[in-house]
């Protein structure tokens, strides 16, 4: 198989944010392992991240000897009114600059076309935030695939909400409604629906998303970081009811097999991986809860204190990742932690300030539960590790992912987040945090959720193995592309 694929050349063009770049790094490894020549297109500042993430595949260790190439284009920060060096969504100085960031990415069509002209790849997998990539690829007769970075469930649910607007018929923000036409009687509230769906006024982002949907119709199809057994009803709904072409090829994170690969995803971890593993090795199986909210969500100091109090009151052992921005604290002063917290938690709780080796931690046998903001990558990594979850969605597609975890898969409990907000989360009280973490870690209900999660983890492993559903879909995609070239 691998040698037959050598004439194929896939261009991968991810959006410049961790939640999009990380799965695309993994996707590159996946294509390369099938013998497909793979090139990642990115901007200069993000290039080292990809070279590091894929370095172990530069030799023969991927089993195929195919290198993953990285090609760079200049990111037009200045042209779009962004500060110099602001080349990743997670480095935006203020959320208001997000529209400048999208403006900058909108200027990347010409440099992308130059690379397409030079290399003439077989296909282009480009992020959903680059709607113009479909036309760019079409100029050279190259099929374009879209990568959303979310679940079939979220794609189907958001489609139903957009079509039927059930949130317009509720009497209050907190009155639950059932998502019309979506299988499973899924409930949510108006407050949990994205502003991007509820807003009647057009803005740049709403326009971009509309263009993205239109471009998708003219594309070759979409690639989904998911596996069929996880959400068969919604994968079928997406393909059969909505009539879209999709290939599921995940969980992508499972292509990282050794500790070195698991430890470096997106950024250099702020803790030495060996130190982290040593700490976990000293703990009993399933005794530690891992708390992390991805690369974008921000909490204020009083919320962080409530998390600390909630964790302490639960009596559980924990690893808590706190992503504090450079300017959030005066140097040396950490008034987001309760007085004496770290001393009291010595040996019991580990705080990682900055970036954690998340997959390495989730896969450790001592970890028994995950408090997550329900970013799709984190959610799927939690599922692949067989963990029950406390769901704490904030924005983007996170409320949909919460509903999948709590209402469909029944492997988690909600902390009680009520409102979709942009990045800075609403507050949740320490009592609710204590209750939710205890619920997924201790007692019969926790054991039931854990055993369901374990079954899914096993199915995930089988899906990516030879003959599994994701492996077969990847091969079907490659074969389809080969017959086009
Ligand atoms: N991640 C990590 N270390 C951290 C925080 C996040 O490795 O300290 C990774 C995580 O494993 C996931 C990605 O960053 O792959 C975050 O993506 P997700 O979709 O969960 O959330 P987003 O950051 O897009 O909100």
């Amino acid at each position: 198989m691998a040698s037959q694929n050598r004439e194929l050349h896939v261009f991968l063009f991810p959006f410049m944010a961790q939640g999009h770049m990380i799965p695309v790094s993994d996707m590159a490894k996946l294509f390369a392992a099938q013998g497909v020549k793979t090139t990642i297109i990115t901007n200069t500042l993000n290039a080292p991240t990809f070279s590091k993430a894929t370095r172990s595949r530069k030799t023969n260790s991927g089993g195929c000897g195919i290198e993953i190439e990285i090609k760079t284009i200049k990111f037009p920060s200045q042209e779009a009114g962004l500060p110099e060096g602001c080349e990743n969504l997670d480095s935006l100085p203020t959320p208001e600059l997000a529209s400048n960031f999208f403006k900058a990415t909108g200027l990347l069509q010409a440099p992308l076309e130059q690379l397409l002209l030079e290399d003439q790849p077989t296909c282009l997998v480009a992020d959903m935030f680059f709607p113009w990539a479909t036309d760019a690829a079409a100029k050279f007769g190259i099929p374009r695939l879209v990568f959303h970075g979310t679940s079939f469930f979220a794609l189907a649910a958001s489609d139903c909400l957009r079509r039927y607007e059930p949130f317009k018929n509720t009497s209050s923000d907190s009155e639950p409604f059932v998502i019309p036409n979506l299988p499973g009687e899924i409930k949510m509230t108006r407050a949990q629906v994205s502003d991007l769906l509820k807003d009647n006024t057009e803005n740049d982002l709403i326009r971009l998303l509309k263009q993205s949907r239109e471009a998708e119709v003219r594309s070759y199809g979409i690639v989904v970081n998911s596996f069929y057994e996880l959400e068969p009803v919604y994968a079928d709904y997406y393909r059969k009811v909505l009539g879209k072409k999709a290939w599921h090829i995940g969980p992508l994170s499972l292509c990282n097999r050794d500790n070195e690969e698991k430890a470096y995803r997106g950024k250099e971890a702020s803790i030495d991986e060996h130190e982290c593993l040593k700490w976990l090795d000293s703990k009993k199986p399933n005794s530690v809860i891992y708390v992390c909210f991805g690369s974008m969500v921000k909490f204020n100091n009083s919320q962080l204190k409530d998390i600390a109090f909630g964790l302490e009151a639960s009596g559980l052992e924990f690893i808590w990742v706190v992503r504090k921005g450079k300017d959030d604290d005066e140097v040396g002063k950490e008034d987001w932690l309760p007085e004496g917290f770290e001393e009291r938690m010595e040996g019991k709780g580990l705080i990682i300030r900055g970036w954690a080796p998340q997959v390495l931690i989730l896969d450790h046998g001592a970890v028994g539960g995950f408090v997550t903001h329900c970013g799709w990558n984190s959610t799927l990594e939690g599922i692949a590790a067989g963990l029950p979850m406390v769901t704490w969605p904030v924005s983007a597609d996170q409320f949909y992912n919460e509903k999948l975890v709590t209402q469909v898969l029944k492997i988690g409990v909600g902390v009680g987040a009520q409102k979709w907000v942009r990045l800075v989360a609403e507050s949740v009280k320490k009592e609710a945090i204590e209750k939710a973490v205890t619920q997924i870690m201790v007692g019969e209900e926790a054991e039931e959720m854990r055993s369901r999660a374990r079954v899914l983890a096993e199915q995930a492993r089988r899906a990516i193995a030879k003959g599994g559903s994701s492996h077969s879909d990847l091969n079907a995609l490659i074969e389809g592309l080969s017959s086009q070239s």
Side-chain angles (χ1 to χ4, degrees):
M1 181 68 183
S3 62
Q4 287 160 17
N5 292 335
R6 273 169 204 266
E7 67 267 22
L8 278 185
H9 184 188
V10 174
F11 258 31
L12 303 178
F13 187 29
F15 183 69
M16 295 78 185
Q18 295 299 345
H20 296 241
M21 289 164 48
I22 292 173
V24 169
S25 273
D26 292 340
M27 203 188 295
K29 293 179 196 173
L30 200 65
F31 275 112
Q34 293 300 305
V36 175
K37 183 176 174 193
T38 307
T39 302
I40 299 172
I41 311 298
T42 191
N43 46 326
T44 327
L45 270 190
N46 286 321
T49 302
F50 287 106
S51 353
K52 275 194 190 163
T54 57
R55 71 195 148 189
S56 58
R57 311 295 173 109
K58 293 242 174 241
T59 59
N60 219 11
S61 63
C64 56
I66 298 267
E67 279 204 10
I68 298 165
E69 192 184 19
I70 292 149
K71 290 207 166 184
T72 55
I73 49 183
K74 183 183 167 296
F75 193 79
S77 315
Q78 276 165 327
E79 292 87 325
L82 290 167
E84 209 188 311
C86 179
E87 298 198 9
N88 190 308
L89 200 62
D90 74 359
S91 62
L92 274 190
T94 62
E96 291 71 42
L97 282 173
S99 59
N100 299 60
F101 196 85
F102 285 107
K103 186 173 166 206
T105 58
L107 300 172
L108 296 174
Q109 182 169 353
L112 172 70
E113 284 182 12
Q114 186 56 37
L115 292 180
L116 291 170
L117 175 71
E118 286 165 15
D119 279 32
Q120 298 284 334
T122 324
C123 100
L124 168 68
V125 181
D127 199 277
M128 57 158 287
F129 282 127
F130 305 146
W132 36 265
T134 302
D135 292 332
K139 277 189 193 168
F140 305 96
I142 296 167
R144 185 259 169 125
L145 280 144
V146 182
F147 179 59
H148 288 269
T150 193
S151 54
F152 280 112
F153 178 87
L155 291 168
S158 59
D159 190 279
C160 290
L161 289 182
R162 197 175 309 107
R163 257 172 228 258
Y164 306 110
E165 301 187 317
F167 44 84
K168 287 195 170 162
N169 307 324
T170 53
S171 57
S172 75
D173 263 6
S174 57
E175 183 194 329
F177 60 81
V178 171
I179 304 181
N181 251 25
L182 186 71
E185 294 263 308
I186 306 302
K187 292 197 189 76
M188 72 189 295
T189 65
R190 183 162 72 204
Q192 296 175 337
V193 175
S194 156
D195 286 352
L196 299 166
L197 279 174
K198 288 183 295 198
D199 241 347
N200 288 325
T201 50
E202 282 245 322
N203 63 34
D204 288 347
L205 191 50
I206 290 177
R207 247 188 310 277
L208 180 72
L209 294 176
K210 200 167 159 212
Q211 288 163 358
S212 171
R213 286 194 295 279
E214 286 161 4
E216 190 178 311
V217 175
R218 290 179 283 112
S219 300
Y220 188 78
I222 70 166
V223 275
V224 186
N225 181 15
S226 186
F227 58 105
Y228 185 76
E229 294 75 7
L230 180 68
E231 40 173 359
V233 175
Y234 303 99
D236 289 348
Y237 184 89
Y238 193 74
R239 291 180 172 119
K240 293 178 188 158
V241 179
L242 300 181
K244 311 234 186 176
K245 272 186 293 171
W247 290 266
H248 56 268
I249 58 171
L252 290 167
S253 65
L254 286 180
C255 75
N256 299 295
R257 303 233 164 86
D258 59 29
N259 283 353
E260 193 196 344
E261 281 197 320
K262 288 183 191 175
Y264 186 89
R265 293 184 79 240
K267 285 185 199 179
E268 211 68 68
S270 318
I271 183 170
D272 177 74
E273 73 194 68
H274 304 289
E275 193 194 315
C276 188
L277 288 177
K278 207 168 123 203
W279 192 89
L280 283 167
D281 285 343
S282 71
K283 305 294 173 194
K284 292 203 184 82
N286 299 321
S287 64
V288 175
I289 186 149
Y290 172 70
V291 185
C292 181
F293 301 95
S295 65
M296 301 294 299
V297 168
K298 285 211 166 146
F299 288 124
N300 61 27
N301 286 356
S302 102
Q303 179 65 85
L304 291 172
K305 272 194 187 141
D306 265 332
I307 296 176
F309 282 130
L311 289 172
E312 185 171 5
S314 75
L316 293 163
E317 299 191 291
F318 61 86
I319 293 183
W320 177 21
V321 188
V322 184
R323 214 175 42 80
K324 290 293 280 179
K326 283 202 280 310
D327 307 322
D328 291 348
D329 282 315
E330 291 166 38
V331 178
K333 186 170 165 233
E334 294 196 306
D335 52 11
W336 51 273
L337 269 182
E339 190 77 41
F341 181 78
E342 276 189 289
E343 292 74 33
R344 289 198 299 283
M345 293 299 113
E346 173 96 59
K348 194 163 189 194
L350 182 65
I351 298 179
I352 299 180
R353 292 167 173 78
W355 195 253
Q358 177 158 305
V359 168
L360 191 71
I361 293 173
L362 291 175
D363 284 356
H364 195 284
V367 175
F370 182 13
V371 180
T372 173
H373 71 307
C374 299
W376 181 241
N377 296 294
S378 296
T379 307
L380 196 55
E381 287 158 11
I383 290 168
L387 295 175
M389 291 178 247
V390 169
T391 57
W392 188 329
V394 176
S395 121
D397 57 346
Q398 295 151 19
F399 278 94
Y400 304 127
N401 300 332
E402 167 180 73
K403 307 306 172 211
L404 176 67
V405 167
T406 56
Q407 296 183 31
V408 180
L409 305 173
K410 298 184 170 46
I411 55 165
V413 297
V415 81
Q418 297 300 341
K419 195 168 180 333
W420 189 97
V421 277
R422 265 172 228 264
L423 305 180
V424 181
E426 55 160 346
S427 65
V428 174
K429 296 281 168 246
K430 57 186 180 208
E431 293 79 12
I433 299 164
E434 179 197 348
K435 184 172 170 226
V437 294
T438 310
Q439 227 178 320
I440 65 155
M441 292 295 279
V442 187
E444 209 176 305
E445 191 193 356
E447 275 319 307
E448 281 168 17
M449 283 190 281
R450 180 163 297 121
S451 61
R452 279 193 286 275
R454 288 225 171 102
V455 171
L456 292 171
E458 186 46 42
Q459 287 173 333
R461 247 156 209 88
R462 273 194 246 126
I464 60 144
K466 202 161 182 248
S469 61
S470 291
H471 187 264
S472 306
D473 235 23
L474 175 66
N475 282 330
L477 173 62
I478 291 173
E479 270 167 38
L481 291 170
S482 306
S483 64
Q484 292 252 319
S485 60

